[in-house]
Amino acid sequence: MEDWTKEQIGERIKQEQKLALYFYTPLCGTCQLAGKMMEVVEAAAGQFTYAKANLNYVPEMAERFHIESVPCLLLFDNGRLKDKVYAFQSVPFLFEKLASL
């Protein structure tokens, strides 16, 4: 997963048909575990574009998308925010979330 800047986030949300955008902070232990889960999901479920962003470097995205905590996964379909996931319960749970779009 590539780390995106705020400019990339703004541009690519409009461009990508299906986008899974993962927000994290590097010192968050739960984020580290969620990041590993996202790597597995990315390797197995290719219908999405996957990206991540360190919320410390893009704090305006927390306001824009009303992100309450990290880790946070935003799921977009044709530029529209369809789902927001805070509880990364399991890899199968994440697969179900992606499949529901």
Side-chain angles (χ1 to χ4, degrees):
M1 242 182 312
E2 182 182 331
D3 253 300
W4 284 359
T5 64
K6 69 178 179 179
E7 292 81 12
Q8 287 172 303
I9 292 169
E11 291 171 17
R12 299 288 296 272
I13 286 174
K14 298 172 194 166
Q15 295 173 355
E16 302 297 337
Q17 184 176 356
K18 293 196 178 278
L19 172 64
L21 185 54
Y22 167 61
F23 288 94
Y24 71 99
T25 58
L27 296 178
C28 165
T30 306
C31 294
Q32 292 175 12
L33 177 60
K36 291 183 187 317
M37 293 168 73
M38 287 303 301
E39 288 174 12
V40 171
V41 170
E42 179 183 22
Q47 73 270 24
F48 276 77
T49 297
Y50 295 88
K52 62 183 178 177
N54 180 340
L55 211 51
N56 291 329
Y57 295 121
V58 291
E60 57 279 350
M61 293 297 131
E63 285 185 41
R64 178 177 172 186
F65 297 115
H66 306 285
I67 296 172
E68 298 171 11
S69 66
V70 290
C72 180
L73 178 64
L74 302 182
L75 300 175
F76 293 90
D77 187 15
N78 292 314
R80 298 174 128 187
L81 180 61
K82 293 293 188 175
D83 203 355
K84 193 183 303 185
V85 179
Y86 291 107
F88 289 58
Q89 299 172 13
S90 66
V91 170
F93 170 80
L94 292 173
F95 282 131
E96 286 179 28
K97 283 290 187 183
L98 294 172
S100 70
L101 292 184

